[in-house]
C-alpha cells in the first residue's frame, strides 16, 4: 500500500510538502542519511528521529530514542515502541506536523483500460513559445553584452527555483542524446554527467591523492608505520572510494559510519598540513642550534683543553699554551666546514634538520588525534 506523507511546519505557514512513499522502511530525521530529511537549525529534530515501517499491510510509527520525542495527539510516544498508523493519522516531530495518507492498491485481477492525458503538454507548449520569443529578443540585442545579460538572468532564475524537481528534469532532458533506431548500429555517446557528479568525482580523486601522498610521506620521510585497523578507510582509487561511500545497499547507519570515516580522513589531511608547517619551524629552531653547536669555538676550546701532548717522557696539557688552543680550534672549525661542504645534502639534512622536524611533526599529529578523540567523547 502506497503511503503519502503530507508535511507542514508550524513555524512557516508557506511550508507544504507531499511525498509519495513506497519503501517498506522510511526513516525521518535531521541527518541527510534519512529518506525524509527534516532540516532544523535549532536541532529539536534528532539526526535519526523516527521510523515508519510496514508489516503485514499495516504501517507502524516508532520513535528512535529522539531527544525531544515524537507526538501523536500531543501524547509523547514511548521510544522504540511501534504505534499503528491509520489513514489520516497525524504526528509531530519538532515544528513539523505530518499526516499519513494510506492508499489502497487497485485490484490487479480486474483488467482496466486507462486513458492517460499528459498534464504538462499545454504548459510545455507555452514554454516553447516563450523560448521562441526569448530567442528573437536575444538575436536583436547587442552581441557584446547579450551573453552576459542572458547568463545573469538565468542565474537569478536558477537561484529562485532552487531545488525544483521540474528544473532538474528539464536540465537532464536537455543533456540526453536521441535514442538510435532499432536497426541502427551507430554508437551513442554516454550522457554527460551532471555538474554535481563531476564535482564529486574531482573531490574524491583529490582526497585519494592526498591520502596516498601523506601515507608515502609518513612512511618514507618520517619513518612512521601506519597501522590499518578494521575501521580504517581502505582506498585504492577514487572509483573504489565512490563505490565504498555510495553503495546503494548500505543501511543509513552504515552509510553514516562510512561518511564519518571519510570526515576523519579529511581532518587527518588538514592536520598533516598544520604539522608540516610546525615541523618546518621546528627544524629551523632546533636544527640550526644543533649545527652551530659543532662550530661553537667555546665548546671546541673546552674539548681541546682536555687534551695533552707529549714531549719525550713529559705529558703537558694543551691548555697551558693558549695560542696552541686557538690554532687547534681554528683548524678544527675549518675541518668541520670542509666535511660539511663535501657531504651529500641529504645526509646533511638528515643529521641536523630532519630529527627536529619529525619531533615537531609527530607532536602536532598526536595533539590533533587527542583533540579529535576528546571531541567525540
Amino acid at each position: 500500500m502506497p503511503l503519502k506523507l503530507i508535511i507542514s511546519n508550524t513555524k512557516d505557514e508557506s511550508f507544504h510538502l507531499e511525498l509519495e512513499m513506497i519503501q517498506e522502511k522510511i526513516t525521518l530525521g535531521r541527518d541527510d542519511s534519512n529518506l525524509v530529511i527534516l532540516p532544523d537549525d535549532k536541532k529539536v529534530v534528532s539526526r535519526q528521529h523516527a521510523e515508519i515501517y510496514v508489516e503485514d499491510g499495516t504501517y507502524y510509527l516508532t520513535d528512535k530514542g529522539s531527544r525531544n520525542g515524537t507526538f501523536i495527539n500531543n501524547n509523547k510516544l514511548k521510544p522504540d515502541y511501534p504505534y499503528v498508523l491509520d489513514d489520516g493519522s497525524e504526528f509531530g516531530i519538532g515544528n513539523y506536523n505530518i499526516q499519513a495518507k494510506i492508499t489502497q492498491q487497485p485490484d490487479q485481477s480486474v483488467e482496466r483500460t486507462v486513458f492517460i492525458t499528459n498534464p504538462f503538454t499545454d504548459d510545455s507548449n507555452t514554454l516553447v513559445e516563450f523560448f521562441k520569443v526569448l530567442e528573437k529578443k536575444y538575436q536583436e540585442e547587442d552581441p557584446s553584452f547579450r551573453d552576459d545579460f542572458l547568463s545573469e538572468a538565468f542565474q537569478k532564475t536558477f537561484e529562485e527555483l532552487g531545488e525544483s524537481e521540474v528544473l532538474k528534469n528539464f536540465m537532464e532532458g536537455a543533456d540526453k542524446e536521441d535514442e538510435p533506431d532499432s536497426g541502427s548500429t551507430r554508437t551513442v555517446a554516454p550522457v554527460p554527467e551532471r555538474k554535481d557528479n563531476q564535482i564529486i568525482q574531482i573531490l574524491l580523486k583529490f582526497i585519494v591523492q592526498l591520502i596516498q601522498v601523506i601515507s608515502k610521506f609518513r612512511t618514507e620521510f618520517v619513518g612512521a608505520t601506519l597501522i590499518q585497523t578494521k575501521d580504517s578507510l581502505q582506498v585504492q582509487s577514487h572509483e573504489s572510494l565512490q563505490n565504498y561511500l555510495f553503495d546503494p545497499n548500505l543501511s543509513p547507519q552504515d552509510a553514516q559510519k562510512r561518511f564519518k570515516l571519510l570526515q576523519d580522513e579529511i581532518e587527518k589531511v588538514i592536520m598533516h598540513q598544520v604539522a608540516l608547517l610546525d615541523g618546518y619551524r621546528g627544524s629551523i629552531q632546533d636544527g640550526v642550534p644543533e649545527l652551530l653547536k659543532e662550530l661553537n669555538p667555546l665548546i671546541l676550546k673546552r674539548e681541546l683543553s682536555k687534551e695533552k701532548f707529549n714531549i719525550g717522557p713529559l705529558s703537558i696539557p694543551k691548555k697551558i699554551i693558549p695560542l696552541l688552543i686557538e690554532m687547534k680550534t681554528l683548524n678544527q672549525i675549518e675541518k668541520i666546514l670542509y666535511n660539511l661542504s663535501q657531504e651529500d645534502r641529504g645526509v646533511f639534512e638528515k643529521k641536523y634538520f630532519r630529527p627536529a622536524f619529525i619531533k615537531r611533526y609527530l607532536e602536532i599529529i598526536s595533539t590533533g588525534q587527542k583533540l579529535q578523540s576528546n571531541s567525540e567523547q
Side-chain angles (χ1 to χ4, degrees), residues 286-337:
D286 301 337
V288 171
E290 190 67 25
L291 172 61
L292 295 178
K293 182 179 178 181
E294 286 199 26
L295 298 171
N296 191 324
L298 296 177
I299 297 176
L300 292 173
K301 287 179 181 179
R302 185 167 59 246
E303 295 299 323
L304 289 171
S305 297
K306 299 177 183 178
E307 298 179 0
K308 297 180 181 181
F309 65 93
N310 300 320
I311 301 178
L314 298 175
S315 181
I316 303 173
K318 291 182 179 180
K319 64 181 179 180
I320 68 173
I321 308 176
L323 181 59
L324 180 61
I325 295 296
E326 293 290 340
M327 293 177 60
K328 285 284 187 180
T329 300
L330 180 60
N331 290 336
Q332 188 70 9
I333 291 175
E334 289 177 347
K335 182 179 180 181
I336 293 173
L337 287 174

Side-chain angles (χ1 to χ4, degrees), residues 25 27 33-34 48 250-257:
K25 184 172 73 173
T27 56
S33 62
N34 293 284
Q48 282 80 36
L250 285 177
S251 66
Q253 292 79 9
D254 288 339
Q256 184 64 24
K257 182 178 179 181

